[in-house]
Amino acid sequence: MTKLNENDKKIGTTGHSWDGIEELNNPMPRWWLYTFYLCIVWGIGYTIAYPAWPLVSAATSGMLGYSTRGEVVEQIAEVDAANAAINTRLASVDLGEIITDPELESYATSSGKAVFNTFCVQCHGREGGLGAAGYPVLSDDDWLWGGDIENIHLTVAHGIRNEDDDDARYSEMPAFGEILEPEEIEQVVNFVMSLSETPQDASLVDAGAVIYEDNCSACHGEQGLGDRDQGAPNLADAIWLYGGDVDTLRETVTYSRYGVMPPWSNRLSEAEIRAVSAYVHQLGGGE
């Protein structure tokens, strides 16, 4: 054990000893202690003045009544008030005027992008709505229900195949696994593949054409070009919502697909719906 030197002896020890190791009695500097005590007093004062302690359903409100949520609400109200005139105009003009009026189009696409990034990217993805399996790409010119701004607005407002809006777009593909034999499904799948790419088994295409004509052409058209009035996709352009490989097409024909989009008219204002419709329209595929 190191012996205490003369300076250590002057300081003295606390009387604590561990295996012969003693603790010098070196108190903290007074300036540090005063700063520490001041921080304690300030912390107590802060918890009294501002929201701080969590309770069962909320936190203590504080004597000053300050609220970060309230501050955000005030800021949103200020922005809404500043944009009230142009939002009223956006909500009332003919939809076609939005994309022909430079001021309205600029405002609509800017605010529409914010709406899209808040409510739409979860399904349609960022980077201009590049979509995913089961979620349409919004930046190409392949539209199930039409890509002019009126049709985009209708789709956004009322959604697709949901039970919440009586005006939702609606179509339903039958599950042909309950109608056709497995070999007939293989035939029609190969015919559908032949419309846009090489079929897996070319020998089944002719038989598949007959199956297609009897069961599929009423919705998808004789040439497989689809029907936007029914939301029936174009089968001849090699653009697939769920995938165009033989296994995915077989699953689609056998079990059908039933994608659902919620209506936004009960969550967004008319100005916001028009803004996001204008934003989607100008992504590159709007008609």
Side-chain angles (χ1 to χ4, degrees):
M1 183 184 88
T2 302
K3 293 183 178 180
L4 296 177
N5 58 37
E6 292 301 319
N7 288 334
D8 293 341
K9 289 179 180 178
K10 291 179 181 179
I11 295 172
T13 67
T14 62
H16 300 156
S17 177
W18 294 273
D19 294 332
I21 301 174
E22 297 181 286
E23 179 183 3
L24 292 176
N25 185 22
N26 268 325
M28 301 297 295
R30 289 188 178 276
W31 68 264
W32 191 96
L33 285 174
Y34 292 151
T35 302
F36 177 66
Y37 295 146
L38 183 61
C39 288
I40 293 175
V41 173
W42 179 87
I44 293 173
Y46 185 93
T47 61
I48 294 173
Y50 292 94
W53 300 107
L55 303 176
V56 176
S57 59
T60 54
S61 60
M63 295 184 65
L64 298 182
Y66 174 77
S67 168
T68 53
R69 290 181 180 271
E71 190 174 70
V72 171
V73 169
E74 290 177 3
Q75 293 173 351
I76 292 174
E78 290 175 3
V79 172
D80 288 343
N83 292 329
I86 195 167
N87 277 328
T88 299
R89 184 178 163 205
L90 178 61
S92 60
V93 301
D94 289 339
L95 286 166
E97 289 185 36
I98 297 173
I99 56 179
T100 59
D101 184 312
E103 181 185 16
L104 269 184
E105 183 183 32
S106 176
Y107 173 75
T109 54
S110 177
S111 60
K113 182 177 182 180
V115 174
F116 185 90
N117 286 338
T118 302
F119 298 102
C120 310
V121 295
Q122 294 85 350
C123 294
H124 293 286
R126 294 189 181 273
E127 304 301 328
L130 296 181
Y135 302 100
V137 174
L138 302 179
S139 56
D140 62 15
D141 59 359
D142 192 71
W143 296 91
L144 286 173
W145 299 92
D148 57 81
I149 192 168
E150 288 81 5
N151 273 303
I152 294 173
H153 175 271
L154 181 61
T155 299
V156 174
H158 302 292
I160 298 171
R161 303 185 193 93
N162 62 72
E163 298 180 356
D164 303 316
D165 193 312
D166 292 337
D167 294 320
R169 300 215 188 247
Y170 195 90
S171 65
E172 185 172 359
M173 175 181 173
F176 283 101
E178 302 172 0
I179 301 171
L180 302 176
E181 297 297 328
E183 59 270 20
E184 292 176 313
I185 291 176
E186 292 298 316
Q187 291 166 355
V188 77
V189 164
N190 278 273
F191 170 75
V192 169
M193 292 184 70
S194 75
L195 295 176
S196 59
E197 56 190 68
T198 304
Q200 185 185 51
D201 188 343
S203 67
L204 301 179
V205 170
D206 290 341
V210 177
I211 302 297
Y212 177 90
E213 175 64 28
D214 292 341
N215 296 274
C216 313
S217 61
C219 294
H220 294 284
E222 294 182 1
Q223 305 300 320
L225 300 179
D227 182 355
R228 290 179 177 179
D229 290 336
Q230 303 181 68
N234 185 341
L235 305 179
D237 59 4
I239 298 175
W240 300 98
L241 186 56
Y242 293 92
D245 60 277
V246 65
D247 291 331
T248 303
L249 286 176
R250 183 187 300 116
E251 181 178 352
T252 297
V253 174
T254 302
Y255 301 106
S256 83
R257 304 289 184 177
Y258 195 81
V260 175
M261 175 180 171
W264 291 99
S265 57
N266 56 355
R267 281 176 275 188
L268 300 177
S269 68
E270 177 62 19
E272 289 173 320
I273 292 173
R274 287 172 171 236
V276 77
S277 299
Y279 172 73
V280 169
H281 182 268
Q282 59 82 50
L283 284 177
E287 299 170 343

